[in-house]
């Protein structure tokens, strides 16, 4: 223990001798809650692990940096993670000029070369803390796998780690401190290291790291990211449908599944540094040629053969040829929200696996917002939600709100369809749309054009049911149309319903006397199936609904038609903004509901779905935005 006490003394003295109170003039990187911020803006790490060792060498070299940065920029990479400090200012300048930030790693014992043991890491930090390329500092890499480095007691490492982080905080308050831990930190690591701001985790759980996010959420409220995740492109044997030998498809498929898991959990995970940028021929034998093998601790979770082939991890090869995994990374990292736009309307659309990932609303073509001449006409389910990816927005729609296909036929723990999402695992006797169910997503295909987007959702066959759902969202001059097609490809008749929730808030006005909802039929309150109007601020007229003031409580009315078969339409007007929006379906409906809160009004037109095996059904909804005198 004496040596570690000596190390802590070195760190303390080094801090005294340094300018501990000097402030950086670079970008300020901070953490708040579970997020990382750069100058107050949330920052999602779209990163890559970067250790460029040339062919024939075993030493890092930046001779190929210009080409590498061009490839990174093309792939949408905004962060590189390096395992030891970059000591050339010109290299950092070039990285910053490319718009990429650096996670700088420090080793424990590097012979006094910018390491923790000697305290020289702090010299580097004080030299480069004002450089705009720096994202944050990272201490150690998987040291929890090597207690023998610390007299057989990891507590020794954690004490040094925590004190080093504290010293960095005193010298550089403008950048957080992280560590790269092997897998999920245990209670000892967390309790001994309160000064760690961000927990990096090197995670190899096949192609499915999703479980670690919930595990982390249960034990900590700090930011985390996957400091390593990925797969190599060599299969040591035929396995899981992938052939032995070099296999870029295996690597690409695993990378896609891993990134999908990460981006589905952005409320907890601040991103990833994919391992790795380029193949590294120095790891397993001849530095001039590829060798199979190499070693990595706890590597049995490497997809899809449980073997870490250390020289094949790059998303580009040693000559910088792009592998199939590069294309996956580029697709995932360069995704931007799809927008349909003309001079009047702007429609913001999330594709499947983007943002909303709950088990309620259909994932095909999630219309997040509609903007008319710069004015929002839609809002979101809750005003101040801390879980944006689990709430409704814009014009989300849903199939089977009360009874998804064959829920009652499904045994406990079995799987049932939720159209437009995939299959959900049954948990409980009764179905609840607000409950989070385990999801196995369906397959989705997307086709985009300048004025329309088409998304196809293909299900698997479960309990005799399967389908293909096609949704097309088309932009017109001051309106948009949602066309639906449902093909029953299973063995049993599909019976369900569908509606669009319509989270409406014109010009972001709260619900109140400025709003009037017009309906094309006589409203019959005595025939409502449910009435929830606790403050009596919702006024039911003959064929219109108005509001005396802003309701603080939720309101809900079901079966506004009283069971009568009526035209499917409604019209909402905001008299203050002098803007209105309407919806018209090309079908009759017996069910019209109204839900709302202080921030949104949601009229809902239900379409009854009944499709026999082999048959197809089509329907559409047209939304128009207009101005009033």
């Amino acid at each position: 223990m004496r040596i570690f006490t000596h190390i802590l003394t070195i760190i303390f003295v080094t801090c005294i001798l340094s300018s501990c109170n000097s402030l950086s003039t670079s970008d300020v990187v901070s953490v708040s809650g579970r997020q990382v911020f750069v100058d107050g803006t949330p920052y999602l790490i779209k990163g890559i692990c970067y250790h460029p060792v040339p062919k024939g060498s075993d030493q890092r070299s930046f001779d190929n940096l210009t080409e590498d940065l061009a490839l990174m920029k093309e792939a949408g990479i905004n962060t590189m993670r390096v395992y030891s400090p970059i000591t050339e200012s010109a290299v950092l300048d070039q990285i910053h000029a490319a718009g990429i930030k650096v996670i700088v790693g420090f080793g424990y014992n590097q012979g006094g070369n910018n390491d923790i043991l000697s305290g020289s890491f702090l010299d580097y930090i004080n030299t480069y803390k004002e450089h705009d390329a720096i994202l944050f500092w990272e201490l150690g890499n998987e040291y929890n796998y090597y207690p023998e480095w610390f007299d057989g007691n990891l507590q020794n490492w954690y004490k040094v780690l925590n004190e080093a982080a504290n010293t960095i905080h005193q010298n550089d308050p403008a950048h957080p401190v992280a560590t790269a831990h092997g897998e999920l930190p245990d209670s000892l690591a967390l309790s001994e290291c309160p000064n760690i701001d961000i927990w990096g985790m090197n995670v190899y759980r096949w192609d499915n790291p999703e479980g670690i996010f919930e595990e982390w959420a249960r034990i900590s409220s700090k930011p985390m990211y996957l400091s390593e995740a990925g797969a190599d492109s060599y299969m040591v044997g035929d396995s899981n449908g992938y052939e032995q030998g070099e296999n870029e498809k295996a690597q690409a498929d695993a990378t896609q599944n891993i990134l999908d898991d990460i981006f589905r959990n952005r409320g907890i995970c601040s991103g990833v540094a994919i391992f790795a940028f380029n193949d590294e021929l120095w790891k397993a034998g001849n530095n001039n040629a590829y060798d199979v093998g190499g070693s990595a601790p706890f590597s049995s979770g490497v997809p899809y053969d449980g073997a870490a082939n250390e020289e094949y991890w790059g998303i580009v090869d040693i000559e910088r040829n792009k592998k199939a995994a590069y294309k996956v990374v580029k697709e995932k990292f360069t995704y931007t929200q799809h927008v349909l736009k003309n001079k009047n309307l702007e429609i913001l659309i999330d594709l499947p696996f983007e943002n909303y990932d709950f088990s309620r609303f259909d994932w095909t073509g999630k219309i997040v917002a509609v903007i008319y001449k710069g004015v929002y006409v839609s809002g979101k389910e809750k005003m101040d939600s801390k879980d944006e990816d689990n709430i409704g927005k814009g014009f989300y729609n849903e199939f089977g709100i009360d009874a998804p296909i064959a829920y009652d036929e499904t045994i406990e723990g079995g799987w049932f369809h939720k159209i437009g999402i995939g299959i959900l695992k049954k948990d409980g006797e009764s179905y609840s749309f607000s409950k989070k169910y385990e999801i196995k997503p369906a397959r989705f295909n997307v086709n985009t054009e300048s004025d329309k987007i088409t998304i196809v959702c293909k299900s698997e066959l479960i309990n005799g049911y399967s389908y293909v759902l096609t949704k097309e969202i088309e932009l017109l001059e001051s309106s948009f149309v949602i066309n639906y097609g449902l093909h029953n490809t299973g063995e049993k008749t599909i019976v369900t319903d569908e509606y669009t929730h319509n989270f409406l808030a014109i010009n972001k006005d709260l619900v109140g006397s400025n709003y009037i909802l017009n309906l094309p039929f006589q409203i019959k309150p005595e025939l409502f199936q449910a009435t929830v109007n606790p403050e009596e601020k919702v006024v039911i007229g003959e064929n219109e609904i108005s509001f005396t003031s802003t309701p603080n409580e939720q309101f809900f009315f079901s079966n506004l038609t009283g069971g009568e078969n009526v035209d499917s339409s409604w019209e909402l007007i905001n008299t203050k903004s002098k803007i209105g929006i309407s919806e018209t379906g090309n079908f009759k409906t017996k069910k019209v509901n109204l839900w709302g809160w202080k921030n949104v009004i949601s009229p809902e037109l239900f379409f009854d779905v009944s499709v026999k095996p082999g048959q197809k059904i089509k329907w559409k909804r047209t939304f128009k935005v207009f101005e009033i005198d």
Side-chain angles (χ1 to χ4, degrees):
M1 188 63 190
R2 186 176 302 167
I3 186 173
F4 297 101
T5 303
H6 178 61
I7 293 165
L8 296 179
T9 302
I10 290 174
I11 292 172
F12 176 75
V13 171
T14 304
C15 176
I16 297 267
L17 295 176
S18 304
S19 63
C20 289
N21 295 318
S22 62
L23 294 177
S24 169
T25 59
S26 66
D27 293 340
V28 175
V29 185
S30 60
V31 300
S32 178
R34 296 190 181 278
Q35 286 191 300
V36 178
F37 292 81
V38 175
D39 287 339
T41 301
Y43 188 90
L44 178 66
I45 299 168
K46 299 178 181 180
I48 198 79
C49 295
Y50 187 54
H51 191 68
V53 176
K55 185 176 183 179
S57 175
D58 60 1
Q59 297 298 313
R60 185 176 71 178
S61 168
F62 293 105
D63 289 348
N64 210 63
L65 182 63
T66 300
E67 181 182 3
D68 290 352
L69 289 175
L71 286 165
M72 290 182 194
K73 287 183 65 176
E74 181 185 342
I77 291 166
N78 64 7
T79 308
M80 68 168 65
R81 175 178 179 250
V82 295
Y83 293 86
S84 60
I86 298 171
T87 56
E88 302 94 329
S89 295
V91 171
L92 286 173
D93 292 345
Q94 192 174 349
I95 293 169
H96 172 60
I100 293 173
K101 289 196 171 293
V102 184
I103 298 170
V104 179
F106 296 97
Y108 170 66
N109 182 1
Q110 304 298 316
N113 185 21
N114 296 318
D115 63 9
I116 300 168
L117 177 61
S118 68
S120 57
F121 74 103
L122 198 57
D123 297 332
Y124 181 91
I125 288 171
N126 282 321
T127 299
Y128 291 102
K129 64 186 179 184
E130 295 187 5
H131 202 292
D132 278 327
I134 306 302
L135 183 61
F136 53 77
W137 314 110
E138 191 164 76
L139 304 175
N141 182 64
E142 297 182 344
Y143 283 2
N144 55 301
Y145 291 155
Y146 302 99
E148 64 271 19
W149 293 355
F150 306 98
D151 287 347
N153 186 352
L154 283 176
Q155 191 170 19
N156 291 330
W157 159 239
Y158 295 141
K159 287 184 180 297
V160 170
L161 171 61
N162 190 60
E163 186 56 37
N166 180 55
T167 302
I168 294 173
H169 288 152
Q170 294 178 51
N171 281 262
D172 180 18
H175 296 98
V177 183
T179 187
H181 196 81
E183 260 287 339
L184 186 75
D186 61 16
S187 58
L188 176 64
L190 294 176
S191 64
E192 292 286 346
C193 301
N195 289 321
I196 294 298
D197 304 303
I198 303 165
W199 283 86
M201 298 172 209
N202 295 1
V203 176
Y204 296 95
R205 298 188 178 187
W206 214 244
D207 65 350
N208 181 20
E210 189 160 26
I212 201 166
F213 306 122
E214 187 172 336
E215 293 166 19
W216 175 251
R218 288 197 295 263
I219 62 175
S220 176
S221 59
K222 288 187 175 183
M224 62 86 72
Y225 83 110
L226 296 193
S227 40
E228 282 186 16
D232 62 66
S233 60
Y234 191 92
M235 295 287 295
V236 296
D238 294 348
S239 179
N240 292 280
Y242 299 98
E243 294 182 356
Q244 180 181 2
E246 293 188 30
N247 196 315
E248 291 188 15
K249 187 177 189 306
Q251 183 190 33
D253 289 351
T255 301
Q256 176 169 312
N257 292 335
I258 289 166
L259 289 176
D260 284 343
D261 280 357
I262 291 166
F263 289 148
R264 277 199 298 266
N265 289 275
R266 282 189 287 186
I268 299 171
C269 182
S270 292
V272 61
I274 289 291
F275 187 82
F277 178 70
N278 57 276
D279 287 342
E280 301 175 78
L281 303 191
W282 62 277
K283 286 189 169 183
N286 184 348
N287 294 347
N288 288 290
Y290 280 90
D291 299 288
V292 176
S295 62
F298 300 89
S299 61
S300 61
V302 176
Y304 287 101
D305 56 3
N309 289 286
E310 288 289 282
E311 297 195 355
Y312 289 85
W313 281 92
I315 61 171
V316 299
D317 67 19
I318 194 66
E319 305 294 344
R320 275 36 179 191
N321 297 306
K322 300 171 185 175
K323 298 185 189 178
Y326 176 93
K327 298 175 183 177
V328 170
V329 171
K330 179 179 177 179
E331 177 185 345
K332 299 299 179 183
F333 281 5
T334 60
Y335 167 81
T336 55
Q337 194 170 57
H338 192 80
V339 178
L340 300 178
K341 186 176 181 179
N342 60 24
K343 64 179 182 180
N344 294 323
L345 278 182
E346 186 173 354
I347 304 174
L348 281 59
I349 302 169
D350 275 340
L351 303 182
F353 301 108
E354 288 297 332
N355 297 319
Y356 180 85
D357 60 0
F358 199 65
S359 53
R360 179 182 180 183
F361 293 117
D362 170 13
W363 291 4
T364 61
K366 296 165 285 189
I367 299 177
V368 176
V370 172
I371 305 166
Y372 175 73
K373 296 183 178 180
V375 176
Y376 279 82
V377 297
S378 64
K380 57 185 179 180
E381 184 178 353
K382 299 177 182 178
M383 294 182 68
D384 301 310
S385 175
K386 296 180 180 179
D387 197 0
E388 286 286 319
D389 292 347
N390 285 335
I391 65 170
K393 304 181 186 73
F395 296 80
Y396 283 11
N397 74 288
E398 179 180 12
F399 287 84
I401 181 175
D402 296 317
I405 300 172
Y407 185 86
D408 291 337
E409 302 173 27
T410 305
I411 63 171
E412 183 73 11
W415 298 88
F416 63 94
H417 286 285
K418 185 73 169 176
I419 295 179
I421 299 175
I423 55 174
L424 312 185
K425 190 174 185 178
K426 185 171 182 178
D427 180 13
E429 183 177 348
S430 300
Y431 173 77
S432 172
F433 63 77
S434 61
K435 186 173 185 174
K436 185 174 183 178
Y437 293 89
E438 182 178 344
I439 302 170
K440 289 184 180 179
R443 291 178 293 155
F444 297 90
N445 293 307
V446 180
N447 181 59
T448 60
E449 302 176 43
S450 61
D451 60 349
K452 71 176 63 172
I453 182 168
T454 304
I455 300 172
V456 178
C457 171
K458 296 182 180 180
S459 80
E460 60 182 288
L461 181 66
I462 295 289
N463 300 325
Y465 296 94
S466 65
Y467 63 87
V468 176
L469 170 67
T470 302
K471 183 191 291 185
E472 178 191 82
I473 303 168
E474 182 178 11
L475 176 65
L476 303 177
E477 184 176 358
S478 292
S479 63
F480 62 96
V481 179
I482 307 177
N483 291 297
Y484 302 82
L486 186 66
H487 180 198
N488 186 343
T489 57
E491 304 158 353
K492 300 179 181 179
T493 299
I494 294 175
V495 179
T496 186
D497 57 19
E498 178 273 341
Y499 73 103
T500 301
H501 204 300
N502 305 321
F503 296 96
L504 306 175
I506 298 174
N507 203 24
K508 300 184 180 180
D509 281 353
L510 295 178
V511 176
S513 58
N514 294 328
Y515 285 102
I516 299 172
L517 177 66
N518 295 314
L519 297 167
F521 54 84
Q522 184 179 356
I523 304 172
K524 302 175 180 179
E526 68 277 8
L527 297 179
F528 290 177
Q529 289 180 342
T531 299
V532 179
N533 189 15
E535 302 164 292
E536 298 185 351
K537 292 181 178 181
V538 184
V539 180
I540 307 296
E542 183 175 354
N543 58 8
E544 73 174 31
I545 295 175
S546 57
F547 307 86
T548 59
S549 60
T550 301
N552 293 310
E553 303 292 334
Q554 298 181 45
F555 55 87
F556 177 67
F557 305 91
S558 68
N559 194 31
L560 299 183
T561 70
E564 182 182 350
N565 206 27
V566 300
D567 291 335
S568 295
S569 69
W570 53 261
E571 177 187 82
L572 181 68
I573 294 172
N574 185 298
T575 57
K576 179 181 177 182
S577 299
K578 297 189 180 299
I579 293 175
I581 182 171
S582 67
E583 176 188 2
T584 303
N586 68 339
F587 51 87
K588 294 280 189 176
T589 183
K590 291 183 178 180
K591 184 177 180 180
V592 179
N593 288 353
L594 175 66
W595 175 88
W597 208 346
K598 58 186 175 183
N599 56 304
V600 287
I601 300 170
S602 296
E604 303 163 350
L605 306 175
F606 283 77
F607 175 70
D608 288 330
V609 176
S610 181
V611 195
K612 295 180 179 179
Q615 299 295 308
K616 299 178 182 178
I617 189 172
K618 295 182 178 181
W619 68 102
K620 71 177 180 179
R621 300 173 183 273
T622 301
F623 296 85
K624 294 182 179 179
V625 187
F626 53 90
E627 298 176 39
I628 58 176
D629 297 329

